[in-house]
Amino acid sequence: MPPIKLTLNGKPWSVDADPDMPLLWAVREIAGKTGSKFGCGAAQCGACTMHVDGQPVRSCSTPIGSIAGSKVTTIEGIAEGPQAKVAKAVQDAWIKLDVVQCGYCQSGQIMSAVALLTDTPKPTDQDIDSAMNGNLCRCSTYVRIRAAIHEAAKALEI
Amino acid sequence: MPDGHMPENLDSTSRRRFLQVTGGAGVGLMVGFTWTATGRRALAAPAAKGLEPNAFVKVAPDSTVTVLVKHLEMGQGVFTGLTAIVAEEMDADWAQMRAEHAAANAKLYNNSAFGPIQGTGGSTSTYNSWTQLRQAGATARAMLVAAAAQTWGVSASDITVSKGVISSGTHSAKFGELAAKAAALPVPADVPLKDPKNFTLIGTRLPRKDSVEKSTGKAVFAIDVVQPDMLVAVVRRPSKFGAKAQAVDAKAAKAVKGVVEVVEIPRGVAVVATSYWAAHQGREALKVTWDESQAEKRGTDAIIADYKALLPKPGELVTKEGDVDAVKAAKVVKAEFSFPFLAHAPMEPLTCVVKLGKDGCEIWAGDQFQTVDQANAAQAAGLKPEQVTINTVYAGGSFGRRANLESDYIVEGVAIAKALSDAKVQGGKLAGRPVKLIWSREDDIRGGRYRPIYVHGMEAKLGADGSLLAWKHRIVGQSIMAGSMFEQKGKPDNTSVEGAAEIPYDIPNRLVDLHTTTSPVPVLWWRSVGSTHTSFAVESFIDELAAETKQDPVAFRRKLMEKHPRHLAVLNLAVEKADWGKPLPKGWARGVAVAESFRSVVAHVAEVSQDEKGRIKVERVVCAVDCGIAVTPDVVKAQMEGGIGYGLGAVMFGAITMTGGVVDQSNFDTYRCLRIDEMPKVEVHIVPSANPPTGVGEPGVPPLGPAVANAIAALTGKRIRDLPFTGTVSV
Ligand code: FES
Ligand code: FES
């Protein structure tokens, strides 16, 4: 089987893997980038959220063979890619408001929040609910996630 | 701190039993425990040109102050709160402070709230560290000041320290400049502590120490740990609790590319591979037949029915005041409650990395119970506890799950490494290779160690004037402590009755008793332990009695709470901030509840609404908390917010059910957890206090369920007796 060719965080990435292997495990175990987390393996929790060609996807349920040629961005690369400005605003807001508790869900939360603010620079609470509903947080940091998204949106206006 | 709860001060029998568990000499063996095997720092060795006055503080030449945190950072904020205590006494600058997990060492890092062990639980981290860390910080400061005095030829009393700068007249120095000199001085004893009036950091908002790492994907959890040559394992466990593997057909599993070996361990069959994906596929292909002769085959409905059948019978006496049966009542009110099994479902599934050598075992885990885990790992490995090194890393949540007396996931990891080291397995060529054990979410949801099922029977006798004359409370359920080192023989299980045995209401006649049941389903403390169910029963029933006697639920509580000023103050703060009594929009209602747990008192006022379709939504929760001195108030707030969300998801739709002994749920699609659109607005108010800090991680949970249930009753007239709420209302 020829290697699968993609772009990972702006760099060419050629993966020698079973095409059915979920993107999450290819990134974590083959590329060695562990910022994206395994929470359910079934597109239920969002801990594994990455961007594929700018769109948020649940990488645990995305076979790597199905996205050959795509541009994959993970939490490790989001602050440097084309969404750097939004990502910085989101991460700054996260830090300013001390959103995190255990932190395990937060890479996924941030990836979803960056995608939301890229499409919808001034989200309403309803926009946040629908964009972030797929990202579970067992520590229930939801109050602060909502506040931080609004905070980031405000920072991006300026 | 979310999590486990143990009776304070183990009695001598339990201590002895624990010493036996740890291999005869127990904690004494921990003395002089050093980390030579893996090249980690030797505890006793002084840092190069730095100051290490005790086991908790290190001052580096660059002035960085590192606090060695003996507790697990699992989200509850110990890296921030415990570091703040040291920083305060040192008069350090917050920016120069950092935190890291301490090495596992029961002698140095005993949890004095429930030791003799190192462990995190029962919301005790700040409570048991308060004086210890103040002393640690004050001692470091005194040594730096003494070094400054010597260097500058001034008296220590002429020296001031502020924001990490030591000064006297024209002299000034940062900590690091004096660290080497200070390290050469004797460690003073009994250094005076600050007058809390002069605190400058404690009680203020301090940025969390773990925010940056956790907001950039850099924080390392056990699942992220990589060791050279590491293998990845998953375990097939029986679908019924108590079943054992009878026959294994590993042929198809071994044929999966990347699968390296299949080994039997006491708790199941492990598939070991070069990657998680291969291990997972291998397990799918694995065929195991199980011996189910000892397994639990009842469904949860049958268990609850069995428990309900015990309600008419008197149980083991817990509390007796006055004579309940002798009271003549104008009216008797009765209610029965049932509570399901609950899984903790921490966001990071259970994971550990184990490297087993001939004379040592090194473990990486979000380890919550270091001393117990060392003892159990040693037993599984055939080593002595002091040969087991634990590297504690961040845990992706726990809520009690990672602290369990059998060290389930740790022992599995060690058992796999041990099986691979057998010379008969591939000629011993896998021996010594590190193994990462990963539980899938399905493993976690179906893996047991649930909050036990409980059934409660309540009965109240009311006078003609509406006064509450007598209170009977019967509890039926499985003990978390039975058979463990924490079991208190001859006493009713505290984890079943806490929150019910003592209540803040003065009722002249009161009887509480308990039926302790058994089942092969393993159970465990779950964020706030006994109060997860006792507070629901007590606070729902009190509310119902207020309604029965046509009294305002707040006024009714206040009257009964006169002799409990702390509870009263918390209740009053919550209702005042929530505008209790002021009108709400149409279709909304309020409910209130108050509960003491882990030495703190929390009251919640919940506002709920119902839409045209009858669906209930929790709109807002106003919380008041008395946790003594709030060391880092923003962490306290975060724990209340988190406790509210965690508690709300559980009461609304959390339930593990079983059919014929098999768990019906498997992942977040069937074990529903709270999502962002279901999270209410939260307001937290902290009661100012000069008392030493008490629990924070768990106490936000207990009053949440009853506050919401009481609001639902006020809105719909429906009293929720059986949890979760989904059985009674639409949520
Ligand atoms: S791990 Fe991918 S959605 Fe949960
Ligand atoms: S911060 Fe712990 S799961 Fe979200």
Side-chain angles (χ1 to χ4, degrees), chain B residues 18 22-23 25-35 43 104-109 116-118 370-375 378 384-388:
Chain B
F18 176 71
T22 54
V27 176
L29 278 175
M30 303 296 173
V31 188
F33 191 21
T34 55
W35 313 111
L43 280 170
N105 185 322
K107 177 90 165 83
L108 294 175
Y109 300 121
I117 60 164
Q118 182 182 358
Q370 286 89 349
T371 312
V372 173
D373 292 344
Q374 274 176 314
K384 298 199 184 93
E386 67 269 27
Q387 292 172 296
V388 177

Side-chain angles (χ1 to χ4, degrees), chain A residues 101-106 137-139 141, chain B residues 347:
Chain A
Q101 291 188 27
C102 83
Y104 195 78
C105 72
Q106 299 293 348
C137 174
R138 288 296 284 149
C139 301
T141 61
Chain B
M347 206 70 223

Side-chain angles (χ1 to χ4, degrees), chain A residues 24-25 37-49 57-62 104 134-136, chain B residues 347 441 667-668:
Chain A
L24 174 67
W25 294 107
K37 305 302 184 199
F38 168 60
C40 69
Q44 293 292 326
C45 78
C48 64
T49 306
V57 303
R58 307 296 180 227
S59 65
C60 69
S61 304
T62 306
Y104 195 78
N135 287 85
L136 270 181
Chain B
M347 206 70 223
R441 180 57 58 195
N667 206 316
F668 291 124

Side-chain angles (χ1 to χ4, degrees), chain B residues 213-284:
Chain B
E213 271 177 293
K214 290 178 176 178
S215 304
T216 51
K218 295 198 178 89
V220 173
F221 300 84
I223 202 168
D224 305 326
V225 170
V226 176
Q227 287 294 306
D229 265 345
M230 189 175 76
L231 298 166
V232 179
V234 299
V235 175
R236 167 75 68 79
R237 301 174 191 81
S239 63
K240 295 193 181 80
F241 296 104
K244 292 238 166 336
Q246 199 167 45
V248 180
D249 175 358
K251 200 158 166 272
K254 284 186 180 171
V256 171
K257 193 171 166 233
V259 170
V260 172
E261 191 50 85
V262 174
V263 290
E264 277 189 60
I265 59 168
R267 290 169 44 87
V269 182
V271 178
V272 185
T274 51
S275 71
Y276 177 79
W277 182 240
H280 167 79
Q281 286 178 307
R283 181 168 67 170
E284 300 280 286

